[in-house]
Coordinates of all heavy atoms in Angstrom, one line a residue:
K1 N -12.1 -21.9 1.8 CA -12.5 -23.2 1.2 C -12.3 -23.1 -0.4 O -12.7 -22.1 -0.9 CB -14.0 -23.5 1.5 CG -14.5 -24.7 0.9 CD -15.9 -24.9 1.5 CE -16.5 -26.1 0.9 NZ -17.9 -26.3 1.3
V2 N -11.7 -24.1 -1.0 CA -11.5 -24.1 -2.4 C -12.1 -25.3 -3.0 O -11.8 -26.4 -2.6 CB -10.0 -24.0 -2.7 CG1 -9.7 -24.1 -4.2 CG2 -9.3 -22.7 -2.1
D3 N -12.9 -25.1 -4.0 CA -13.4 -26.4 -4.7 C -12.5 -26.7 -5.9 O -12.2 -25.9 -6.6 CB -14.8 -26.0 -5.3 CG -15.8 -25.8 -4.2 OD1 -15.7 -26.4 -3.1 OD2 -16.8 -24.9 -4.4
I4 N -12.1 -27.9 -5.9 CA -11.2 -28.4 -6.9 C -11.9 -29.5 -7.7 O -12.4 -30.5 -7.1 CB -9.9 -29.0 -6.3 CG1 -9.2 -28.0 -5.4 CG2 -9.0 -29.5 -7.4 CD1 -8.0 -28.5 -4.6
S5 N -12.0 -29.3 -9.0 CA -12.7 -30.3 -9.9 C -11.8 -30.7 -11.0 O -10.9 -29.9 -11.4 CB -14.0 -29.8 -10.3 OG -13.9 -28.6 -11.1
S6 N -12.0 -31.9 -11.5 CA -11.3 -32.3 -12.7 C -12.2 -33.0 -13.6 O -13.4 -33.2 -13.3 CB -10.2 -33.4 -12.1 OG -9.6 -33.9 -13.2
L7 N -11.7 -33.2 -14.8 CA -12.5 -33.9 -15.8 C -12.9 -35.3 -15.3 O -13.8 -36.0 -15.7 CB -11.8 -34.0 -17.2 CG -11.7 -32.7 -17.8 CD1 -10.8 -32.9 -19.1 CD2 -13.0 -32.0 -18.1
V8 N -12.0 -35.9 -14.4 CA -12.2 -37.3 -14.0 C -12.8 -37.3 -12.6 O -13.6 -38.3 -12.4 CB -10.8 -38.0 -13.9 CG1 -11.0 -39.4 -13.6 CG2 -10.1 -37.9 -15.3
R9 N -12.6 -36.4 -11.8 CA -13.1 -36.5 -10.4 C -13.3 -35.1 -9.8 O -12.9 -34.1 -10.3 CB -12.1 -37.2 -9.5 CG -10.7 -36.4 -9.4 CD -9.7 -37.2 -8.7 NE -8.4 -36.5 -8.8 CZ -7.4 -36.6 -8.0 NH1 -7.5 -37.4 -7.0 NH2 -6.3 -36.0 -8.3
S10 N -14.2 -35.1 -8.8 CA -14.5 -33.9 -8.1 C -14.0 -34.0 -6.7 O -14.4 -34.9 -6.0 CB -15.9 -33.6 -8.2 OG -16.3 -32.4 -7.6
V11 N -13.3 -33.0 -6.2 CA -12.8 -33.0 -4.8 C -13.0 -31.7 -4.2 O -13.0 -30.6 -4.9 CB -11.3 -33.3 -4.9 CG1 -10.7 -33.3 -3.5 CG2 -10.9 -34.5 -5.6
E12 N -13.3 -31.6 -3.0 CA -13.4 -30.4 -2.2 C -12.3 -30.4 -1.2 O -12.1 -31.4 -0.5 CB -14.8 -30.3 -1.5 CG -15.2 -28.9 -1.1 CD -16.6 -28.8 -0.6 OE1 -17.5 -29.0 -1.5 OE2 -16.8 -28.6 0.6
A13 N -11.7 -29.2 -1.1 CA -10.5 -29.1 -0.3 C -10.5 -27.7 0.4 O -11.1 -26.8 -0.1 CB -9.2 -29.4 -1.0
T14 N -9.8 -27.6 1.5 CA -9.5 -26.4 2.2 C -8.0 -26.1 2.2 O -7.3 -27.0 2.5 CB -10.0 -26.5 3.6 OG1 -11.4 -26.8 3.6 CG2 -9.8 -25.1 4.4
V15 N -7.6 -24.9 1.7 CA -6.2 -24.6 1.6 C -6.1 -23.3 2.6 O -6.9 -22.6 2.9 CB -5.8 -24.3 0.2 CG1 -5.9 -25.6 -0.6 CG2 -6.6 -23.2 -0.4
A16 N -4.7 -23.1 2.9 CA -4.3 -22.0 3.7 C -4.7 -20.7 3.0 O -4.7 -20.6 1.7 CB -2.9 -22.1 4.0
P17 N -5.0 -19.6 3.7 CA -5.4 -18.3 3.1 C -4.3 -17.8 2.2 O -4.6 -17.1 1.2 CB -5.6 -17.4 4.3 CG -5.9 -18.3 5.4 CD -5.2 -19.6 5.1
A18 N -3.0 -18.1 2.4 CA -1.9 -17.6 1.6 C -1.5 -18.6 0.5 O -0.6 -18.4 -0.2 CB -0.7 -17.4 2.5
A19 N -2.4 -19.5 0.2 CA -2.1 -20.6 -0.8 C -1.9 -20.0 -2.2 O -2.7 -19.1 -2.5 CB -3.2 -21.7 -0.8
R20 N -1.1 -20.6 -2.9 CA -0.9 -20.3 -4.4 C -1.4 -21.4 -5.2 O -1.5 -22.6 -4.8 CB 0.6 -20.0 -4.6 CG 1.1 -18.9 -3.7 CD 0.8 -17.5 -4.4 NE 1.4 -16.4 -3.7 CZ 0.8 -15.5 -3.1 NH1 -0.5 -15.5 -3.0 NH2 1.4 -14.6 -2.5
T21 N -1.6 -21.2 -6.5 CA -2.0 -22.2 -7.5 C -1.0 -23.4 -7.5 O -1.5 -24.5 -7.6 CB -2.2 -21.5 -8.8 OG1 -3.1 -20.4 -8.8 CG2 -2.8 -22.5 -9.8
A22 N 0.2 -23.1 -7.3 CA 1.2 -24.2 -7.3 C 0.9 -25.2 -6.2 O 1.2 -26.4 -6.3 CB 2.6 -23.7 -7.2
G23 N 0.3 -24.8 -5.1 CA 0.0 -25.7 -4.0 C -1.0 -26.7 -4.4 O -1.1 -27.8 -4.0
V24 N -2.0 -26.4 -5.3 CA -2.9 -27.3 -5.9 C -2.3 -28.4 -6.6 O -2.5 -29.6 -6.4 CB -4.0 -26.5 -6.8 CG1 -4.9 -27.6 -7.4 CG2 -4.7 -25.5 -6.0
R25 N -1.3 -28.1 -7.4 CA -0.6 -29.0 -8.1 C 0.1 -30.1 -7.2 O 0.0 -31.3 -7.3 CB 0.5 -28.4 -9.0 CG 1.3 -29.4 -9.9 CD 2.3 -28.8 -10.7 NE 3.3 -29.7 -11.0 CZ 4.4 -29.9 -10.3 NH1 4.7 -29.1 -9.3 NH2 5.2 -30.9 -10.7
F26 N 0.7 -29.6 -6.1 CA 1.5 -30.4 -5.2 C 0.5 -31.2 -4.3 O 0.7 -32.4 -4.0 CB 2.4 -29.7 -4.3 CG 3.6 -29.1 -5.0 CD1 3.7 -27.8 -5.2 CD2 4.5 -30.0 -5.6 CE1 4.8 -27.2 -6.0 CE2 5.6 -29.4 -6.3 CZ 5.7 -28.0 -6.5
E27 N -0.6 -30.5 -3.9 CA -1.6 -31.2 -3.1 C -2.3 -32.4 -3.8 O -2.5 -33.5 -3.1 CB -2.7 -30.2 -2.6 CG -3.7 -30.8 -1.7 CD -3.2 -31.0 -0.3 OE1 -2.3 -30.4 0.1 OE2 -3.8 -31.9 0.4
L28 N -2.5 -32.3 -5.1 CA -3.1 -33.3 -5.8 C -2.2 -34.2 -6.6 O -2.6 -35.1 -7.3 CB -4.1 -32.7 -6.9 CG -5.3 -32.0 -6.3 CD1 -6.2 -31.4 -7.4 CD2 -6.2 -32.9 -5.3
D29 N -0.9 -34.0 -6.4 CA 0.2 -34.8 -7.0 C 0.0 -34.8 -8.5 O -0.1 -35.9 -9.1 CB 0.2 -36.2 -6.4 CG 1.5 -37.0 -6.8 OD1 2.5 -36.3 -7.0 OD2 1.5 -38.1 -6.9
L30 N -0.2 -33.6 -9.1 CA -0.4 -33.6 -10.5 C 0.9 -33.6 -11.3 O 2.0 -33.2 -10.8 CB -1.1 -32.2 -10.9 CG -2.5 -32.0 -10.2 CD1 -3.0 -30.6 -10.5 CD2 -3.5 -33.0 -10.8
P31 N 0.9 -34.2 -12.5 CA 2.1 -34.2 -13.3 C 2.6 -32.9 -13.8 O 1.8 -31.8 -13.6 CB 1.7 -35.1 -14.5 CG 0.2 -34.8 -14.6 CD -0.3 -34.6 -13.2
D32 N 3.8 -32.8 -14.1 CA 4.5 -31.5 -14.6 C 3.9 -31.0 -15.9 O 3.9 -29.9 -16.3 CB 6.0 -31.7 -14.7 CG 6.7 -31.9 -13.4 OD1 6.1 -31.4 -12.4 OD2 7.7 -32.5 -13.3
E33 N 3.4 -32.0 -16.7 CA 2.9 -31.7 -18.1 C 1.5 -32.2 -18.3 O 1.1 -33.1 -17.6 CB 3.8 -32.2 -19.2 CG 5.3 -31.7 -19.1 CD 6.2 -32.2 -20.2 OE1 5.7 -33.1 -21.0 OE2 7.3 -31.8 -20.2
G34 N 0.8 -31.6 -19.2 CA -0.5 -32.1 -19.6 C -1.6 -31.7 -18.6 O -2.7 -32.3 -18.6
V35 N -1.3 -30.7 -17.8 CA -2.3 -30.2 -16.9 C -2.5 -28.6 -17.0 O -1.6 -27.9 -17.2 CB -1.9 -30.4 -15.4 CG1 -2.8 -29.9 -14.4 CG2 -1.7 -31.9 -15.2
A36 N -3.7 -28.2 -16.9 CA -4.0 -26.8 -16.9 C -4.9 -26.5 -15.6 O -5.7 -27.3 -15.3 CB -4.8 -26.4 -18.1
I37 N -4.6 -25.3 -15.0 CA -5.4 -25.0 -13.8 C -6.0 -23.6 -14.1 O -5.4 -22.8 -14.5 CB -4.5 -24.9 -12.6 CG1 -3.8 -26.2 -12.3 CG2 -5.2 -24.4 -11.4 CD1 -2.8 -26.3 -11.1
A38 N -7.3 -23.6 -13.8 CA -8.1 -22.4 -13.9 C -8.5 -21.9 -12.6 O -9.0 -22.7 -11.8 CB -9.3 -22.6 -14.9
V39 N -8.5 -20.6 -12.3 CA -9.0 -20.1 -11.0 C -10.1 -19.1 -11.4 O -9.9 -18.2 -12.2 CB -7.9 -19.3 -10.3 CG1 -8.4 -18.7 -9.1 CG2 -6.7 -20.2 -10.0
D40 N -11.3 -19.5 -10.9 CA -12.5 -18.7 -11.2 C -12.7 -18.5 -12.7 O -13.1 -17.5 -13.1 CB -12.5 -17.3 -10.5 CG -12.5 -17.5 -9.0 OD1 -13.2 -18.5 -8.5 OD2 -11.9 -16.7 -8.3
G41 N -12.5 -19.6 -13.4 CA -12.8 -19.6 -14.8 C -11.7 -19.1 -15.8 O -11.9 -19.0 -17.0
V42 N -10.6 -18.7 -15.1 CA -9.5 -18.0 -16.0 C -8.2 -19.0 -15.8 O -7.8 -19.2 -14.7 CB -9.2 -16.7 -15.4 CG1 -7.9 -16.1 -16.3 CG2 -10.3 -15.7 -15.5
V43 N -7.7 -19.5 -17.0 CA -6.6 -20.3 -16.9 C -5.4 -19.6 -16.5 O -5.1 -18.5 -17.0 CB -6.4 -21.0 -18.3 CG1 -5.1 -21.8 -18.4 CG2 -7.6 -21.9 -18.7
V44 N -4.7 -20.1 -15.5 CA -3.4 -19.6 -15.0 C -2.3 -20.3 -15.7 O -2.1 -21.5 -15.7 CB -3.3 -19.7 -13.5 CG1 -2.0 -19.2 -13.1 CG2 -4.5 -19.1 -12.9
P45 N -1.5 -19.5 -16.5 CA -0.2 -20.2 -17.1 C 0.6 -20.8 -16.1 O 0.8 -20.3 -15.1 CB 0.5 -19.0 -17.8 CG -0.5 -18.0 -17.9 CD -1.5 -18.1 -16.8
S46 N 1.1 -22.0 -16.4 CA 2.0 -22.7 -15.5 C 3.2 -21.9 -15.0 O 3.6 -22.0 -13.9 CB 2.5 -24.1 -16.1 OG 3.2 -23.8 -17.2
S47 N 3.6 -21.0 -15.8 CA 4.7 -20.1 -15.4 C 4.3 -19.1 -14.3 O 5.1 -18.6 -13.6 CB 5.3 -19.3 -16.6 OG 4.2 -18.4 -17.1
G48 N 3.0 -18.9 -14.0 CA 2.5 -18.1 -13.0 C 1.9 -18.8 -11.8 O 1.4 -18.2 -10.9
W49 N 2.0 -20.1 -11.7 CA 1.4 -20.9 -10.6 C 2.0 -20.5 -9.3 O 1.3 -20.5 -8.3 CB 1.5 -22.4 -10.9 CG 0.6 -23.0 -11.9 CD1 -0.2 -22.3 -12.7 CD2 0.7 -24.3 -12.4 NE1 -0.8 -23.1 -13.6 CE2 -0.3 -24.3 -13.4 CE3 1.3 -25.4 -12.1 CZ2 -0.6 -25.5 -14.1 CZ3 1.1 -26.6 -12.8 CH2 0.0 -26.7 -13.7
D50 N 3.3 -20.2 -9.2 CA 3.9 -19.8 -7.9 C 3.4 -18.5 -7.4 O 3.5 -18.3 -6.2 CB 5.4 -19.8 -8.1 CG 6.0 -21.2 -8.2 OD1 5.5 -22.2 -7.8 OD2 7.1 -21.4 -8.8
D51 N 3.0 -17.7 -8.3 CA 2.5 -16.3 -8.0 C 1.0 -16.1 -7.9 O 0.6 -15.1 -7.3 CB 3.1 -15.3 -9.0 CG 4.6 -15.4 -9.1 OD1 5.3 -15.4 -8.0 OD2 5.1 -15.2 -10.2
A52 N 0.2 -17.0 -8.4 CA -1.2 -16.8 -8.5 C -1.9 -17.2 -7.1 O -1.9 -18.4 -6.8 CB -1.8 -17.7 -9.6
P53 N -2.4 -16.2 -6.4 CA -3.0 -16.5 -5.1 C -4.4 -17.1 -5.3 O -5.0 -16.9 -6.3 CB -3.1 -15.1 -4.4 CG -3.2 -14.2 -5.6 CD -2.4 -14.8 -6.7
L54 N -4.9 -17.9 -4.3 CA -6.2 -18.4 -4.3 C -7.0 -17.7 -3.2 O -6.7 -17.7 -2.1 CB -6.1 -19.9 -3.9 CG -5.4 -20.8 -4.8 CD1 -5.4 -22.2 -4.4 CD2 -6.0 -20.8 -6.3
G55 N -8.0 -16.9 -3.7 CA -8.8 -16.2 -2.8 C -9.8 -17.1 -2.0 O -10.1 -18.1 -2.5
A56 N -10.4 -16.6 -1.0 CA -11.4 -17.3 -0.3 C -12.6 -17.6 -1.3 O -13.1 -16.8 -2.0 CB -12.0 -16.5 0.9
G57 N -13.0 -18.9 -1.2 CA -14.1 -19.3 -2.1 C -13.8 -19.5 -3.6 O -14.7 -19.6 -4.4
A58 N -12.5 -19.5 -3.9 CA -12.1 -19.6 -5.3 C -12.5 -20.9 -5.8 O -12.5 -21.9 -5.2 CB -10.5 -19.4 -5.4
E59 N -12.9 -20.9 -7.1 CA -13.3 -22.2 -7.8 C -12.0 -22.5 -8.7 O -11.6 -21.7 -9.4 CB -14.5 -22.0 -8.6 CG -15.7 -22.4 -7.9 CD -16.9 -22.5 -8.9 OE1 -16.8 -23.1 -10.0 OE2 -18.0 -22.1 -8.5
I60 N -11.6 -23.8 -8.5 CA -10.4 -24.2 -9.1 C -10.9 -25.4 -10.1 O -11.5 -26.3 -9.6 CB -9.3 -24.8 -8.2 CG1 -9.0 -23.8 -7.1 CG2 -8.1 -25.2 -9.0 CD1 -8.5 -22.5 -7.6
D61 N -10.5 -25.3 -11.4 CA -10.7 -26.3 -12.3 C -9.3 -26.8 -12.7 O -8.4 -26.1 -13.1 CB -11.5 -25.9 -13.6 CG -12.8 -25.4 -13.3 OD1 -13.6 -26.2 -12.7 OD2 -13.2 -24.2 -13.7
V62 N -9.2 -28.2 -12.6 CA -8.0 -28.9 -13.0 C -8.3 -29.7 -14.2 O -9.1 -30.6 -14.2 CB -7.5 -29.8 -11.9 CG1 -6.2 -30.5 -12.4 CG2 -7.1 -29.0 -10.6
L63 N -7.7 -29.3 -15.3 CA -8.0 -30.0 -16.6 C -6.8 -30.8 -17.0 O -5.7 -30.3 -17.0 CB -8.3 -28.9 -17.8 CG -9.4 -27.9 -17.3 CD1 -9.5 -26.8 -18.3 CD2 -10.7 -28.6 -17.1
T64 N -7.0 -32.0 -17.5 CA -5.9 -32.9 -17.8 C -6.1 -33.2 -19.3 O -7.2 -33.4 -19.9 CB -5.9 -34.1 -17.0 OG1 -7.2 -34.8 -17.1 CG2 -5.6 -33.9 -15.6
A65 N -5.0 -33.4 -20.0 CA -5.0 -33.7 -21.4 C -5.4 -35.3 -21.4 O -4.9 -36.1 -20.8 CB -3.6 -33.6 -22.0
V66 N -6.2 -35.6 -22.4 CA -6.7 -36.9 -22.7 C -6.5 -37.3 -24.0 O -6.9 -36.6 -25.0 CB -8.2 -37.1 -22.3 CG1 -8.7 -38.5 -22.5 CG2 -8.4 -36.7 -20.8
Q67 N -5.9 -38.4 -24.3 CA -5.6 -38.8 -25.7 C -6.6 -39.9 -26.1 O -7.0 -40.7 -25.3 CB -4.1 -39.3 -25.8 CG -3.7 -39.7 -27.2 CD -2.2 -40.0 -27.2 OE1 -1.6 -40.3 -26.2 NE2 -1.6 -40.0 -28.4
G68 N -7.0 -39.8 -27.3 CA -7.9 -40.8 -27.8 C -8.8 -40.2 -28.9 O -8.5 -39.1 -29.4
G69 N -9.8 -41.1 -29.3 CA -10.5 -40.5 -30.5 C -11.9 -41.0 -30.5 O -12.5 -41.6 -29.7

């Protein structure tokens, strides 16, 4: 079970045991730019999303860039 949260919404999801961080991006249909993903409080560089595994009970934070003032 993986908890996925965002600045805008909170979602709970279950992913396959072999899931990678890149799968979160596809599952939530996230844009290619303006998104950061943290696993258990550590930001994973987008260049490493294909390689970063999600362990059982991992906490995922999806952060999006917001423009304004």
Side-chain angles (χ1 to χ4, degrees):
K1 180 176 176 179
V2 175
D3 294 325
I4 301 171
S5 61
S6 173
L7 293 177
V8 182
R9 60 184 172 162
S10 181
V11 177
E12 195 170 296
T14 301
V15 296
R20 301 281 186 238
T21 304
V24 172
R25 182 180 156 267
F26 293 114
E27 183 70 27
L28 296 178
D29 194 28
L30 299 173
D32 293 333
E33 296 180 3
V35 174
I37 298 176
V39 178
D40 293 327
V42 178
V43 174
V44 178
S46 58
S47 61
W49 288 357
D50 288 334
D51 299 322
L54 300 176
E59 269 194 42
I60 307 300
D61 294 309
V62 177
L63 309 169
T64 56
V66 178
Q67 190 174 11

